Amino acid sequence: MAQTPVLAVEGLSCHYGDREIVSDLSFEIAHGETLALVGESGSGKSTTARAIAGLHRVGRGRVLLDGVDVTRPAERRPREVRQAMQLIFQNPDSSLNPRHSVATLIGRPLQLFFGIGRTERARAVRQLLQTVHLPESYAERVPAALSGGERQRIAIARALAARPSLLLCDEIVSALDVSVQATILDLLRELQRITRLSLLFITHDLAVVRWFADRVAVLYRGQLCEIGPVRAIFERAAHPYTKLLLAAATGATAARRTEPPPQQAALPGRGCPCVDICPANLGALCRETAPPWHTAGTEHRVRCHIAPVVPARTGISGQLARSAP
């Protein structure tokens, strides 16, 4: 019998005013798994994370944590739900109070969720600092006395203080130097090995994704285009937009894009969101009809009017074949 996923997102839609930012989004994350959510700026990645965390209103759909529906604002969620799901932001300066010491910042969740007294709390703070590979002496420092990488480690330690089963990581290494990025990612992998922690890892850096994630979900204009294991996505990408992303990451000239003519845009609420950038678009069909989901391989799905040919077991990459009308 399959284990209940730690997170299940079902038909999630979110708005800013009258504008739909995320539309009909569905995916799952297993215990101990890292799912990378990738896409360009403005694709809805951060809105998705905030909605899952209860910090952005959900218009439609559900968020389930270990099979329990938690689709409500964070302040209305039970304490154990807020404890189990922790959000780490791109910029730790926005979440770490500059007036508080590291001991206070990390100790707050320990007091809030577990009622731990001062002496035991101080001991737990020291242990958490060791967990994120920082000296115990850092407990008395303030965020301004730390480097960017050290501040992000403190943000991780504070999230870990809640003993979560799921971390929502919103571009948490994008502002760091490459060498510092590597140490943070190594730390997260180490934590996963020890605790079976699950991660929703939001990023635009495909090089990081290929090395760090288990599966990838590709987002464009708030809609999923493709989802599957890392190797399948990087070696046998099926969606034209995913191919554009991968080509852009390698500097391939095939990724060059031009502004589409106005008539190419999908009709509001209908059609494929990628029609205006897709080199393989099928005209009226793509503009007016929402694309279906196809299976492209084991746990690999693509949402497109062009159905992929599932590759043979020899590993030969599949080629796109036009689906029957």
Side-chain angles (χ1 to χ4, degrees), residues 77-133:
R77 292 180 177 181
R79 179 174 297 183
E80 59 268 23
V81 172
R82 290 184 281 120
Q83 169 201 340
M85 184 188 301
Q86 293 289 307
L87 174 60
I88 304 176
F89 296 94
Q90 175 181 0
N91 182 6
D93 293 341
S94 63
S95 58
L96 300 179
N97 190 321
R99 298 180 180 180
H100 290 168
S101 68
V102 166
T104 300
L105 292 168
I106 298 177
R108 175 61 177 158
L110 295 168
Q111 182 181 20
L112 176 65
F113 293 121
F114 309 110
I116 296 176
R118 181 177 299 178
T119 301
E120 187 180 353
R121 191 161 67 241
R123 185 183 306 112
V125 167
R126 291 194 298 270
Q127 291 173 343
L128 284 162
L129 286 171
Q130 291 174 359
T131 298
V132 297
H133 306 307

Side-chain angles (χ1 to χ4, degrees), residues 191-253:
L191 293 170
Q192 283 187 297
R193 285 194 299 269
I194 297 170
T195 66
R196 293 200 74 214
L197 189 64
S198 301
L199 303 180
L200 175 62
F201 192 82
I202 293 172
T203 184
H204 63 273
D205 190 333
L206 295 180
V208 167
V209 169
R210 186 165 196 169
W211 177 77
F212 182 67
D214 299 305
R215 289 190 302 132
V216 187
V218 182
L219 195 65
Y220 183 72
R221 290 186 178 176
Q223 296 187 36
L224 277 185
C225 302
E226 189 166 3
I227 185 168
V230 164
R231 184 171 181 178
I233 297 295
F234 278 83
E235 295 183 3
R236 301 187 301 275
H239 197 283
Y241 175 65
T242 307
K243 293 182 177 183
L244 286 172
L245 274 184
L246 293 172
T250 59
T253 56

Side-chain angles (χ1 to χ4, degrees), residues 143-167:
L146 307 176
S147 68
E150 289 170 341
R151 286 195 291 271
Q152 198 59 281
R153 287 174 186 268
I154 297 303
I156 293 171
R158 187 177 63 170
L160 293 176
R163 302 172 195 166
S165 55
L166 173 67
L167 287 184

